[in-house]
Amino acid sequence: MAANGDGDSAQTKRLSLKQQTLDDAYAAPANFLEIDVVNPETHGMANKRYTDYEVRMRTNLPIFTIKESSVRRRYSDFEWLRSELERDSKILVPALPGKALKRQLPFRSDDGIFEDDFIEERRSGLEAFINKVAGHPLAQNEKCLHMFLQEAEIDKNYVPGKVRAT
């Protein structure tokens, strides 16, 4: 294609932009999905200790019938979700933050996996993981993701499948 030198050919003409109003700028976004992993709590004593996290979700996506939820999840619940998605969906599932096996060794001079710094690092990693997963349109159709985000208890005997928008 030869350049004609007049600068604005029909093929390169830019679209006219609509001026954004304040109402548009401050209105609720067209589609949003916000997931926060917050409020870590350590439970139990000695070798029966574990930490769980509050997983809060807010959305207006039609695929989610419940628009706001808050559930508590352990690291092992995130592992379960990852393995379910790997098995049943067609997406490449991101990695979870590491298991920190060295932090679980006995005779440590610190609290290992129960140290505040480690818990915060893991919380941040779990939040990044769940946002990447839930942000994927194909993952949003998976029953396991909906159960993970919205059900107080995870039914590990559920029948895998797709969720349909109502």
Side-chain angles (χ1 to χ4, degrees):
M1 178 172 11
N4 60 9
D6 63 12
D8 256 343
S9 76
Q11 293 175 342
T12 60
K13 193 171 194 172
R14 296 191 182 266
L15 296 173
S16 59
L17 296 176
K18 179 184 164 228
Q19 188 67 32
Q20 186 177 34
T21 67
L22 283 176
D23 288 340
D24 292 338
Y26 291 100
N31 285 319
F32 70 91
L33 175 61
E34 299 170 356
I35 303 172
D36 298 312
V37 177
V38 294
N39 301 329
E41 290 180 8
T42 299
H43 308 273
M45 302 288 283
N47 64 351
K48 299 287 187 198
R49 286 199 300 180
Y50 66 92
T51 301
D52 66 9
Y53 306 83
E54 182 181 359
V55 179
R56 291 185 194 156
M57 183 202 69
R58 287 186 55 235
T59 188
N60 66 355
L61 293 174
I63 194 71
F64 291 96
T65 53
I66 299 170
K67 301 303 181 191
E68 288 190 34
S69 64
S70 175
V71 294
R72 294 208 67 86
R73 296 288 181 247
R74 297 173 63 163
Y75 183 85
S76 58
D77 297 326
F78 285 86
E79 289 180 311
W80 171 84
L81 175 63
R82 186 173 194 281
S83 70
E84 291 296 301
L85 288 170
E86 282 184 323
R87 185 184 72 201
D88 296 325
S89 73
K90 304 279 188 268
I91 67 169
L92 181 61
V93 184
L96 282 165
K99 280 289 275 186
L101 296 175
K102 287 183 181 175
R103 286 185 168 270
Q104 297 177 44
L105 295 173
F107 311 114
R108 291 182 57 93
S109 61
D110 62 9
D111 264 348
I113 62 171
F114 303 106
E115 286 280 314
D116 289 344
D117 289 346
F118 175 75
I119 290 172
E120 174 53 27
E121 183 180 319
R122 178 173 271 184
R123 182 211 61 76
S124 176
L126 293 173
E127 185 173 83
F129 166 81
I130 194 62
N131 276 287
K132 283 179 189 170
V133 166
H136 195 292
L138 293 177
Q140 291 171 3
N141 294 318
E142 296 294 332
K143 280 185 185 177
C144 59
L145 178 65
H146 286 250
M147 189 179 352
F148 179 88
L149 291 172
Q150 300 178 326
E151 302 290 329
E153 299 293 322
I154 293 176
D155 176 9
K156 298 196 175 165
N157 296 318
Y158 84 110
V159 177
K162 307 291 182 219
V163 173
R164 302 278 180 241
T166 54

